Amino acid sequence: MTTIALMLSYIEAIIPFNFGVPGIKLGLANLVVMVALCNISAKHAFVIDLVRILLAGLLFNGLFGTLYSLAGGMLSIVVMILLYKSKAFSVVGVSLAGGVAHNLGQLLVACVLVNNSNMFLYFPVLLFSGLITGIMIGIATYYVNKSAPKNLF
């Protein structure tokens, strides 16, 4: 599953998805993380996410890209694990919260690296993009979970 997530990260790295705002990505690899969270375990989802972020960072993103991805990804997976385990949210809700948490984590690192809290003026744009991409990944996760054979995982 880590390999699939890394391949999806590579696709995002080579195919430009231009949303008109820098730093916004679809987060296709998060589909794999969500499927692992729902079908295997939180521990496996965490490890898949961590290894994918580190490998993608080394291969495609460079040091600063890795720092941003690591902060966003780790905050996102922790939030998603907590919400998923609470059983109070649907897969789409968990993914939506993960998308927003990912962008928040990246923004926090950006504020620290540039030592400027004005970076938070960018948060409304990131909030909106996290909502949209989180919903899209959540819907995709729902359909993967629904259509995959029960003994696949």
Side-chain angles (χ1 to χ4, degrees):
M1 290 188 85
T2 303
T3 302
I4 296 168
L6 186 59
M7 289 170 40
L8 292 172
S9 291
Y10 178 65
I11 290 169
E12 279 194 329
I14 64 171
I15 299 174
F17 295 106
N18 187 353
F19 294 100
V21 179
I24 295 176
K25 295 201 287 188
L26 289 173
L28 295 174
N30 294 324
L31 173 61
V32 176
V33 174
M34 284 292 301
V35 168
L37 179 61
C38 295
N39 295 288
I40 303 174
S41 73
K43 177 182 171 184
H44 283 87
F46 183 88
V47 171
I48 289 167
D49 204 24
L50 178 62
V51 171
R52 192 262 323 158
I53 289 167
L54 293 174
L55 288 174
L58 290 171
L59 295 170
F60 318 127
N61 299 329
L63 178 62
F64 288 107
T66 302
L67 289 174
Y68 292 127
S69 293
L70 195 56
M74 293 300 95
L75 182 58
S76 173
I77 190 66
V78 168
V79 166
M80 290 190 304
I81 288 170
L82 292 172
L83 295 180
Y84 184 77
K85 286 188 172 195
S86 77
K87 305 250 188 257
F89 297 89
S90 68
V91 171
V92 175
V94 170
S95 179
L96 183 151
V100 172
H102 191 281
N103 288 343
L104 179 61
Q106 289 183 324
L107 192 57
L108 289 170
V109 166
C111 287
V112 169
L113 289 177
V114 299
N115 198 22
N116 187 345
S117 62
N118 285 336
M119 297 290 288
F120 274 101
L121 296 173
Y122 191 48
F123 187 63
V125 173
L126 292 177
L127 175 67
F128 182 72
S129 71
L131 290 170
I132 298 301
T133 58
I135 289 169
M136 290 171 35
I137 296 299
I139 291 170
T141 301
Y142 171 80
Y143 283 109
V144 167
N145 289 342
K146 184 177 175 182
S147 63
K150 297 299 176 203
N151 60 354
L152 181 63
F153 304 103

